[in-house]
Amino acid sequence: SQQGEEDPQALSIQEGENATMNCSYKTSINNLQWYRQNSGRGLVHLILIRSNEREKHSGRLRVTLDTSKKSSSLLITASRAADTASYFCATDGYSSASKIIFGSGTRLSIRP
Amino acid sequence: EAGVAQSPRYKIIEKRQSVAFWCNPISGHATLYWYQQILGQGPKLLIQFQNNGVVDDSQLPKDRFSAERLKGVDSTLKIQPAKLEDSAVYLCASSHGDRSTDTQYFGPGTRLTVL
């Protein structure tokens, strides 16, 4: 079963706009990760946020984590055509030190 | 640094046939993962190796799927016999350690179509 569920399933925005994707999960976690998948570069790790962190930045990416609501958001600022991809959140199984479980993803399309 | 290599990139077979996929992880990475990604879904872990030992194969359909990692480096995933619902992309990933915080690096995947 998949732990995280992304929302929306699909998102289409104009180049230069900001894109926000959300991830909700069901059980306690130690950390949450975001991955990007496109046809050119495959599945690539973007950022990891630990359960004791509330916000993290990496370039144009901003991730927030609200453990009380069991949710995370990924914000991409000043979107570019190259950001067109599917974005997945992945949560660790709290009782398992090693396994991560992927959500079903958000498909992001950037219109020129 | 070379990435995770997988072959073949595409495979089309008839149901009930057998198929095998190969993965070469990043040099020095002790942990190797095989995922199944069905169209429109996120990757689902099939099996995780730590060196040449199995850490987790709880979601591997063992009646038809098998995997091995000889000498703790390359790995093969086999399906025998294949079913229509096995049509998916099979992703191999590797990481330096075996913690969930260790970044996983993914290969390009093998797209399997079962007719």
Side-chain angles (χ1 to χ4, degrees):
Chain A
S1 62
Q2 290 182 321
Q3 161 82 305
E5 290 297 330
E6 288 87 342
D7 170 59
Q9 289 188 329
L11 179 63
S12 179
I13 62 172
Q14 202 75 29
E15 190 168 13
E17 293 181 338
N18 296 341
T20 299
M21 289 157 273
N22 303 296
C23 170
S24 58
Y25 55 92
K26 297 188 178 78
T27 61
S28 297
I29 60 171
N30 289 310
N31 63 76
L32 184 145
Q33 304 178 50
W34 285 91
Y35 281 78
R36 179 183 66 216
Q37 184 176 41
N38 59 28
S39 56
R41 293 197 59 197
L43 196 62
V44 175
H45 179 264
L46 294 177
I47 197 166
L48 179 149
I49 187 165
R50 299 177 189 270
S51 59
N52 61 353
E53 297 176 308
R54 291 295 166 258
E55 189 170 310
K56 207 161 180 180
H57 297 253
S58 176
R60 293 183 296 112
L61 306 180
R62 173 178 166 246
V63 169
T64 62
L65 179 64
D66 187 335
T67 53
S68 67
K69 295 181 179 178
K70 292 187 169 60
S71 68
S72 172
S73 67
L74 171 66
L75 168 68
I76 304 174
T77 60
S79 63
R80 305 168 182 169
D83 295 329
T84 293
S86 290
Y87 291 81
F88 297 91
C89 67
T91 52
D92 67 331
Y94 192 76
S95 60
S96 167
S98 59
K99 182 161 64 177
I100 63 172
I101 303 172
F102 287 84
S104 52
T106 291
R107 291 182 301 282
L108 175 65
S109 298
I110 309 299
R111 302 189 304 272
Chain B
E1 180 182 72
V4 176
Q6 289 188 248
S7 68
R9 292 294 308 275
Y10 305 91
K11 191 74 178 179
I12 300 174
I13 61 172
E14 303 268 338
K15 61 182 179 184
R16 291 188 289 274
Q17 284 188 323
S18 302
V19 65
F21 313 125
W22 173 82
C23 173
N24 180 238
I26 292 173
S27 178
H29 279 193
T31 310
L32 185 147
Y33 313 80
W34 282 103
Y35 289 87
Q36 179 192 59
Q37 186 175 22
I38 293 172
L39 187 65
Q41 299 182 16
K44 182 182 84 171
L45 179 68
L46 293 176
I47 190 167
Q48 176 183 343
F49 291 95
Q50 177 69 14
N51 296 309
N52 60 347
V54 175
V55 174
D56 187 337
D57 63 356
S58 58
Q59 297 192 98
L60 186 75
K62 298 180 187 64
D63 58 334
R64 298 183 301 106
F65 286 64
S66 64
E68 60 181 8
R69 189 183 185 196
L70 299 176
K71 300 180 182 176
V73 182
D74 292 5
S75 177
T76 55
L77 176 69
K78 296 179 182 177
I79 308 175
Q80 179 180 12
K83 292 185 175 181
L84 296 177
E85 58 261 37
D86 298 332
S87 293
V89 175
Y90 290 84
L91 296 166
C92 179
S94 69
S95 62
H96 191 266
D98 66 347
R99 310 296 293 182
S100 64
T101 51
D102 290 303
T103 298
Q104 294 186 29
Y105 296 86
F106 284 80
T110 297
R111 184 178 297 277
L112 173 68
T113 301
V114 182
L115 302 175

